[in-house]
Amino acid sequence: MEELVNLDNFYLTARQHAKDPHNMGALDKFNGHAKITGPCGDTMAFWIDVQNGKIEKLSFITDGCDPSLACGSITTCLAEGKTVEKAKAITQKSILDALGGLPEDHEHCALLAANSLKAACENFEKKVPAKTDSTKNKTCETCGDSSCSAAHQKEDESLEEYADRRKLQTRLCRIQHKIVVLSGKGGVGKSTVAVNLATALMLEGLRVGILDVDIHGPSIPTMLGLEHETLQGTAGGLLPVELGNMKIMSIGFLLKNPDDAIIWRGPMKMGVIKQFLTDVEWGDLDYLIVDAPPGTGDEPLSLCQLIQPLDGAIIVTTPQRVAAVDVRKSISFCRQVHVPVIGIIENMSGFVCPKCGEITQILPAGGGRKTAVDMKVPFLGAIPMDPAIAQSGDDGRAFIHHNASSPTAKLMQDIINKIRALYKTKN
Ligand code: ADP
């Protein structure tokens, strides 16, 4: 049977759903709809009809393979009759559990289904904003804005869930712009970009925070010469370390032993990230630059879902064509979590001779630029491999500050100016 070609004999439930999908096809009457594209390029769309706070009917379509059909179908079964909040909480894992598993290389189809349903729910929430009597006319206790999401309990959100969300939101709503720095893998210069971007913004006189959530390799303290800092706590939470007009918080400050994070299991890491985000007392900031864990897995995912709304993501990569696969994944990831891609930075692009300053292309360059063109996202610029950058990182000094007149710092500044121009009119 052709349609079963991707599922072997072990995946009985998945095969049944793929063969005879439930709730397939568009709904005539609906109040929430979204269509998104997954990392493999497959699309999935959901329609939901919410009545009296519950999803009365829902349907889906996909142009994907059998596992996508199975995931879409089972997701409609999981969400039917649920509240919008509960439907949004359906995860890749709950879909895979309900299917009794999928071949590993098709597990992403479950993430596509979870995210498509969530996007349809968010579309419904935008059209029909949730309000409960008890929270009408309330203002946020920190920013004082009645439109702040911290001011209102969402429809069917338990008081406990609301208290949790409000705690985080009341911290984040005093930050004007939140930018996350992502990369497909570690070691490509993500933290270097985060540190230099934050420093350049601080040197412009802006109030800047830098949040290092790279749980497996928090390098910001070292790059800023803060590795011996200890955190100060108050009754309200944790105070970031201050360096000039910049506030720094790193998960590294919490790890007595850098190997600690390696033994944390998935849910533990997520719990640590959430607790960490909730506890930091940033105060009022113009920019928060977030150094995310590398890759496109659960850790960056929960980070991007928790820090809401994010203004955008910068994707850092290296020039080789093989890195393009990672960049594409990072772009698809951003699209799935509805975070706008600010652009791609190609780091370690050419080598700056420490004697004459000339840039030599020792490896083929241009992979980042080509992917940006292919994926229709902005290319922000290339930074060469410059021994002075590595040295600054090791010495704990921001390169852009201490080598400001070097040609590499000028290239970096050009990139930062492009990012800054996006938000200048809004400040
Ligand atoms: P990531 O955050 O992606 O793991 P880092 O920013 O920590 O990567 O960079 C890894 C190492 O490479 C660091 O030692 C850093 O100083 C160095 N590095 C990053 N970018 C450059 C560059 N353009 N030239 C020279 N060294 C660099």
Side-chain angles (χ1 to χ4, degrees):
M1 266 184 286
E2 171 122 14
E3 73 271 34
L4 301 184
V5 78
N6 288 322
L7 299 171
D8 68 25
N9 291 332
F10 295 106
Y11 300 102
L12 189 62
T13 312
R15 278 191 292 133
Q16 280 166 348
H17 277 271
K19 188 179 168 202
D20 186 16
H22 296 234
N23 304 311
M24 201 159 84
L27 286 185
D28 287 333
K29 183 176 151 288
F30 59 92
N31 45 22
H33 168 62
K35 176 180 176 185
I36 64 175
T37 306
C40 56
D42 291 341
T43 62
M44 193 175 289
F46 268 89
W47 287 262
I48 59 172
D49 184 26
V50 182
Q51 299 300 331
N52 302 320
K54 300 234 161 101
I55 298 182
E56 202 163 84
K57 268 190 176 169
L58 79 166
S59 71
F60 85 106
I61 56 168
T62 178
D63 57 5
C65 48
D66 280 1
S68 299
L69 276 173
C71 290
S73 169
I74 198 107
T75 303
T76 63
C77 301
L78 291 174
E80 199 160 8
K82 296 264 170 27
T83 63
V84 172
E85 272 317 305
K86 294 234 160 77
K88 274 168 69 185
I90 292 173
T91 59
Q92 178 184 28
K93 185 174 179 309
S94 36
I95 295 167
L96 289 171
D97 286 350
L99 282 177
L102 274 180
E104 206 178 323
D105 52 344
H106 289 293
E107 285 181 355
H108 62 264
C109 301
L111 183 62
L112 177 61
N115 285 339
S116 312
L117 172 64
K118 189 162 178 239
C121 292
E122 283 167 355
N123 174 255
F124 162 78
E125 284 173 334
K126 244 188 240 162
K127 289 188 198 161
V128 189
K131 271 207 172 101
T132 63
D133 286 338
S134 60
T135 58
K136 260 182 200 164
N137 306 321
K138 276 201 172 171
T139 55
C140 168
E141 61 208 52
T142 58
C143 68
D145 189 342
S146 61
S147 68
C148 175
S149 75
H152 305 285
Q153 186 180 355
K154 287 186 184 171
E155 182 195 352
D156 292 326
E157 185 176 45
S158 72
L159 270 176
E160 207 179 22
E161 287 163 339
Y162 174 48
D164 256 15
R165 187 176 62 78
R166 188 177 56 189
K167 200 169 170 208
L168 175 61
Q169 203 59 39
T170 50
R171 304 264 193 228
L172 297 179
C173 66
R174 291 170 64 184
I175 303 170
Q176 224 177 344
H177 301 296
K178 299 178 256 316
I179 294 175
V180 63
V181 187
L182 299 172
S183 67
K185 52 167 79 94
V188 300
K190 179 172 52 58
S191 305
T192 303
V193 165
V195 160
N196 285 287
L197 171 60
T199 305
L201 294 172
M202 176 193 73
L203 292 173
E204 248 192 83
L206 296 158
R207 296 163 302 174
V208 183
I210 178 160
L211 174 66
D212 176 14
V213 204
D214 191 345
I215 203 159
H216 299 292
S219 46
I220 302 284
T222 310
M223 288 185 170
L224 290 170
L226 303 171
E227 64 267 58
H228 301 301
E229 287 290 332
T230 47
L231 287 182
Q232 306 290 318
T234 67
L238 291 170
L239 289 176
V241 173
E242 295 194 25
L243 194 66
N245 219 358
M246 181 154 69
K247 294 183 177 177
I248 302 106
M249 179 53 83
S250 168
I251 205 133
F253 293 142
L254 296 179
L255 299 174
K256 285 199 195 76
N257 176 352
D259 294 336
D260 282 356
I262 294 164
I263 55 163
W264 291 341
R265 295 182 54 223
M268 247 166 123
K269 283 185 220 158
M270 253 58 87
V272 170
I273 291 176
K274 185 170 182 197
Q275 185 75 52
F276 182 55
L277 284 178
T278 309
D279 283 349
V280 187
E281 287 191 67
W282 294 106
D284 294 310
L285 291 180
D286 296 310
Y287 283 86
L288 179 69
I289 310 300
V290 185
D291 187 3
T296 50
D298 286 347
E299 294 153 33
L301 180 72
S302 54
L303 183 72
C304 291
Q305 285 167 340
L306 286 166
I307 305 183
Q308 283 295 334
L310 268 167
D311 287 66
I314 296 167
I315 298 168
V316 183
T317 184
T318 49
Q320 301 89 325
R321 288 279 165 91
V322 286
V325 179
D326 292 323
V327 182
R328 283 171 182 275
K329 276 194 200 157
S330 298
I331 295 170
S332 304
F333 169 86
C334 290
R335 289 181 177 156
Q336 283 200 20
V337 292
H338 308 288
V339 175
V341 177
I342 295 173
I344 295 175
I345 297 177
E346 184 175 301
N347 187 31
M348 308 192 189
S349 182
F351 176 72
V352 181
C353 171
K355 290 215 170 99
C356 67
E358 193 186 330
I359 299 178
T360 315
Q361 297 301 337
I362 45 176
L363 292 168
R369 183 188 293 275
K370 182 171 182 311
T371 314
V373 173
D374 290 350
M375 299 287 285
K376 299 186 178 53
V377 299
F379 180 68
L380 294 170
I383 302 170
M385 185 176 279
D386 187 334
I389 294 186
Q391 191 62 52
S392 299
D394 287 351
D395 293 349
R397 295 178 307 153
F399 172 81
I400 202 155
H401 187 21
H402 296 275
N403 300 64
S405 58
S406 75
T408 309
K410 294 214 164 86
L411 290 171
M412 251 187 204
Q413 190 62 53
D414 287 347
I415 292 173
I416 291 164
N417 291 345
K418 286 185 197 164
I419 299 165
R420 177 80 181 108
L422 293 172
Y423 305 106
K424 237 175 186 157
T425 50
K426 296 186 203 161
N427 271 339

